[in-house]
Amino acid sequence: MIFLWRASFAAQGQGELVESADAKHISFPDARLTVNGLAWFGEDKPALRRLPLRLKDSFRAPVWSLAQQPSGGRIRFKTDSGRVALRAENPDTSGMHHMTTIGQSGFDIYVDNEYLGSAWPDKTGKIVKEWNVGKSGVRREITLYLPLYKGVAIQEIVVESNAKIEPPRPFAVSKPVVYYGSSITQGGCASNPGMSYQAQVSRWLNVDFINLGFSGNGLGEPAVAEAISEIDAACFVLDYWGNPSSEVFKETLPKFVETLRKKFPKTPILVTGPYFIPTELLSGQTEGAISDKRNTAREFVERQRRGGDKFIFSVDGLEMLSREHACGLVDGVHCNSLGFYFCAKGLEPHLRKALKLHRK
C-alpha cells in the first residue's frame, strides 16, 4: 500500500513530461491558453498582475505591491491530453503563519470543474509539476488557479505530443463579477488558491470573476475606484469593510459607488457588511466598530434605493459567516477554506439574483 501511494505521488509529481522533447511545450503566454481574472493582462502580459502598469503612479505603494499577487487569476483550456504539466517560478518563498504554502504561493488544478491536485514551490521558488488528468484522447477542461498571495511567473504548460488544445467553455454570463476589498477578499486564509469564496461561488454559477482584494489596504481609495471603473462588469461586489475605520468606511463608500455609477448606472452593485468576528461578543471598540459598519452598509444602500438606484443591494455579512460558523476562522478574523465555503453559500443567492441566473 505504501509503495502504491508513493508510485502514485511520483506520477503526480515532476514526472517525465516536462523534460520530454517529444511533448508539446506551450510557452506562456499563448493564445491557446485563456487567462481569466486579470483585467489588464492583455496590455501588461506576460506579467500576472491585478492592476495596470500605466496607472502605477496613482496607487499607494502597498496597493501596487499587492497587485503583483495574482489572486483570482486562472489559466483555462480544453485538452485531450492524459497528462498536464506546469513550469513556473515564485521569486518569494517566505510564508505567513496562518496560511498554507499552497494557498499563498501555489497552484490548484481543476479538471471539469473538480479539484484534482496542487503545486507549490521548492526552496528556490521553482515550481515543476505534472498531473495525470485522465485517459488520453478524452477531451476535458483544465483550470489552473494562480497563487493568492505571491507573485509568480509561468514559463510553460506542457501536454502530450499529439494532444489538442481548444478554448474553454463559455461562462453563463459574458462579463466578470468584480470584487473589491481587503485580505479576506484577496483570499486570506484559504488553504488553496481555488478555495477563496469568489472561486467557489463562481464555479457553482459558472461565472468569471476578478479579485481586487488588497490585504490590509482595502480602504475605498479613489484611485482604485477609478481603475475598477475601467472594467465592464456583470456585477460589482464591494466587500471592503475589513480595513477602514468605521468613519473612513462611511466617508468612502458613497464616493466609491458614485465613481462606478458615472460609467455604469445600471450595473448591479452588492455592498457587504461585516461578517461575524468573535471579539465583537466583548463590549468595547471592536463591537462598536463592527456594528457601525453593518449599519453604514445597510443604511447607505437603503438611501441609494430610495433615491432611485434600484440596482444596488446590501448583503448582511452575517449571512456569509455567522456566530455558528466561527469554526471557519483561522485566527479569529480571516477565513479558512471552510469559512470561505460559508461565505460563498451566503453570497450565492444574492449574486444569483443580481445576475438573473435561474436555478436549474
Side-chain angles (χ1 to χ4, degrees):
M1 182 65 72
I2 293 176
F3 173 77
L4 289 174
W5 179 84
R6 286 177 175 170
S8 174
F9 183 82
Q12 297 276 337
Q14 293 188 10
E16 300 176 356
L17 193 64
V18 172
E19 306 301 332
S20 172
D22 295 329
K24 185 176 291 184
H25 293 255
I26 306 172
S27 297
F28 184 83
D30 186 284
R32 292 168 290 180
L33 304 173
T34 298
V35 177
N36 289 108
L38 303 176
W40 294 276
F41 180 75
E43 65 179 80
D44 283 352
K45 61 186 177 185
L48 297 166
R49 66 167 66 98
R50 295 183 293 145
L51 289 172
L53 180 61
R54 61 181 160 79
L55 297 181
K56 176 182 177 180
D57 292 343
S58 69
F59 307 121
R60 290 185 300 112
V63 173
W64 179 249
S65 178
L66 290 161
Q68 312 313 303
Q69 303 166 0
S71 177
R74 284 146 288 140
I75 312 298
R76 300 170 61 240
F77 56 95
K78 284 184 179 177
T79 184
D80 59 357
S81 180
R83 293 177 293 166
V84 173
L86 165 72
R87 190 194 299 271
E89 188 167 5
N90 185 314
D92 180 2
T93 59
S94 63
M96 298 184 289
H97 64 277
H98 57 348
M99 193 169 179
T100 69
T101 299
I102 292 173
Q104 291 179 74
S105 309
F107 290 75
D108 278 352
I109 184 170
Y110 277 67
V111 179
D112 290 335
N113 218 33
E114 294 185 356
Y115 174 74
L116 177 67
S118 302
W120 53 91
D122 63 18
K123 292 181 179 180
T124 68
K126 294 185 178 353
I127 302 173
V128 180
K129 189 75 170 182
E130 179 181 322
W131 295 276
N132 291 328
V133 298
K135 183 179 179 181
S136 297
V138 177
R139 188 175 62 174
R140 51 187 67 87
E141 184 162 302
I142 305 298
T143 302
L144 291 167
Y145 286 83
L146 275 58
L148 297 172
Y149 264 79
K150 299 292 181 181
V152 72
I154 298 175
Q155 278 84 47
E156 62 177 1
I157 305 292
V158 188
V159 296
E160 294 167 346
S161 59
N162 60 346
K164 299 180 180 67
I165 302 289
E166 300 175 359
R169 65 171 175 159
F171 292 108
V173 179
S174 61
K175 300 175 182 180
V177 177
V178 177
Y179 296 82
Y180 172 67
S182 64
S183 54
I184 296 166
T185 316
Q186 186 171 337
C189 294
S191 59
N192 294 70
M195 288 302 287
S196 67
Y197 78 79
Q198 302 93 337
Q200 294 188 59
V201 74
S202 295
R203 284 194 297 273
W204 302 339
L205 299 180
N206 185 30
V207 296
D208 193 9
F209 73 96
I210 293 170
N211 188 326
L212 293 174
F214 299 103
S215 182
N217 286 273
L219 298 172
E221 295 164 277
V224 180
E226 291 289 348
I228 292 175
S229 72
E230 293 187 2
I231 305 171
D232 187 7
C235 179
F236 296 103
V237 180
L238 303 186
D239 183 41
Y240 74 98
W241 55 266
N243 290 149
S245 66
S246 55
E247 293 79 14
V248 169
F249 187 55
K250 188 172 185 178
E251 177 186 352
T252 59
L253 182 57
K255 297 175 182 178
F256 207 101
V257 170
E258 181 182 6
T259 298
L260 298 179
R261 280 289 178 249
K262 287 178 181 178
K263 290 189 68 174
F264 305 106
K266 294 185 178 181
T267 299
I269 296 176
L270 303 184
V271 180
T272 69
Y275 63 41
F276 176 74
I277 302 294
T279 54
E280 69 179 275
L281 296 176
L282 308 174
S283 61
Q285 186 174 0
T286 301
E287 177 193 32
I290 292 294
S291 178
D292 287 346
K293 290 179 189 180
R294 287 197 184 108
N295 291 335
T296 291
R298 184 186 67 255
E299 292 170 1
F300 168 73
V301 170
E302 289 173 352
R303 287 196 305 272
Q304 291 295 105
R305 291 183 64 82
R306 286 196 301 268
D309 187 347
K310 302 304 182 184
F311 300 94
I312 190 167
F313 310 91
S314 63
V315 179
D316 185 348
L318 295 176
E319 293 183 42
M320 297 175 68
L321 192 128
S322 64
R323 184 176 182 179
E324 65 183 272
H325 295 144
C327 58
L329 298 173
V330 70
D331 57 359
V333 176
H334 297 89
C335 287
N336 53 34
S337 292
L338 176 62
F340 281 133
Y341 171 79
F342 295 144
C343 287
K345 292 293 284 186
L347 181 65
E348 188 265 352
H350 297 278
L351 191 57
R352 183 184 292 276
K353 180 179 179 181
L355 298 175
K356 299 181 179 179
L357 294 174
H358 301 291
R359 292 187 180 276
K360 295 181 179 179

